[in-house]
Amino acid sequence: MKQKNQQLPDSKLNLSRAQFLKVGLGGLAASGMATAAGVCDLTPVQPEGPFYPVDTHIESDGDLTRIEGATISARGQVVYLMGLVQDQHCQPVESAVVEIWQACDTGRYNHPGDSANPNELDENFQYFSRVLTDENGMYMFKTILPGSYAAGPGWIRPPHIHFKIQKRGHFELITQMYFKGQEHNKGDRILDALSEEEKDNVTVELKEPSPGMDPKAKKCRFDITLRAV
């Protein structure tokens, strides 16, 4: 049973309330996670990776495209990322902590472990954020499309965003989200470890923005299913 699109929270980004209320799911299709009435497929677990932020006590307002006090926005394709957090019974999970971290548009992480990466850091990109789901289980971020990068000999990681979701009474979930049509999706060792159905559940389609969003931005929906204890 697919979940109906729901109203997004109005306090997760540095947008005016009037502007935010214009930003809806706008007909985005649910990600096809539910397979039977009252049963939703769990989002597959994927590796945390080596670049989880060293310091998470940083600005985490849901908008990764602008650092507080900066006059310049991050480089790259702006993406509004939104979705529903639910349990295996397709019930929305309120006040779940949703964290994301990712590379900037050049494909580099702001992490000591990525210091050998020759790609340039973007000092105007936030790299990490944390929000809470609202009473309907919805979350939202404003970020950029991350770049690809070499992960080893013959292995280029495709654009992806890391997720960690936590809520008391539920098992913690760490996963990754990908974008349809990226040339390095095929052959990625982490993505290829999933079944075809699981790949579909963690791969999103970029769509045109809704009214109230940046006109040059894209939007996508990534629904997440946790296992309740």
Side-chain angles (χ1 to χ4, degrees):
M1 179 179 66
K2 293 185 179 181
Q3 300 297 300
K4 295 180 180 179
N5 291 345
Q6 301 183 44
Q7 183 68 32
L8 289 168
D10 62 1
S11 60
K12 301 299 186 275
L13 295 175
N14 281 340
L15 302 175
S16 71
R17 180 175 178 82
Q19 182 183 8
F20 196 95
L21 291 177
K22 294 179 180 178
V23 179
L25 295 179
L28 280 176
S31 58
M33 300 161 56
T35 58
V39 179
C40 286
D41 291 344
L42 296 173
T43 300
V45 174
Q46 295 180 83
E48 181 177 281
F51 303 126
Y52 183 78
V54 174
D55 181 11
T56 60
H57 297 90
I58 57 176
E59 181 186 359
S60 56
D61 57 6
D63 186 348
L64 290 77
T65 68
R66 186 179 291 272
I67 302 296
E68 185 176 0
T71 58
I72 301 175
S73 297
R75 300 188 300 264
Q77 172 63 61
V78 174
V79 176
Y80 289 86
L81 167 58
M82 57 196 78
L84 167 69
V85 177
Q86 61 190 354
D87 65 18
Q88 71 268 33
H89 308 296
C90 307
Q91 296 302 305
V93 180
E94 179 181 359
S95 298
V97 179
V98 182
E99 295 181 350
I100 64 169
W101 66 100
Q102 63 173 90
C104 62
D105 74 321
T106 66
R108 182 171 173 180
Y109 289 85
N110 186 19
H111 190 282
D114 204 24
S115 59
N117 188 332
N119 298 335
E120 183 182 1
L121 283 171
D122 184 352
E123 62 183 11
N124 296 304
F125 182 57
Q126 193 167 289
Y127 291 92
F128 168 86
S129 188
R130 176 191 293 123
V131 300
L132 295 176
T133 57
D134 72 1
E135 65 275 11
N136 297 312
M138 305 303 296
Y139 73 89
M140 182 173 178
F141 296 97
K142 184 181 179 184
T143 186
I144 58 98
L145 181 68
S148 300
Y149 58 89
W155 181 15
I156 303 294
R157 291 237 61 203
H160 62 281
I161 295 178
H162 296 262
F163 279 75
K164 180 184 288 188
I165 305 94
Q166 297 172 306
K167 171 66 178 180
R168 185 179 296 241
H170 298 73
F171 291 98
E172 178 184 272
L173 173 67
I174 297 174
T175 193
Q176 300 180 33
M177 185 199 81
Y178 306 84
F179 301 88
K180 288 184 179 179
Q182 297 294 321
E183 64 172 313
H184 298 297
N185 284 352
K186 186 176 181 180
D188 181 67
R189 298 172 191 174
I190 295 175
L191 186 56
D192 279 350
L194 304 179
S195 68
E196 290 303 315
E197 183 177 4
E198 289 173 328
K199 289 178 184 178
D200 288 342
N201 287 345
V202 296
T203 306
V204 301
E205 183 177 358
L206 291 174
K207 297 178 177 287
E208 294 305 307
S210 298
M213 294 179 175
D214 293 350
K216 295 183 180 180
K218 300 293 184 181
K219 67 180 180 183
C220 63
R221 178 164 177 164
F222 183 49
D223 289 344
I224 298 164
T225 304
L226 306 176
R227 182 186 295 277
V229 175

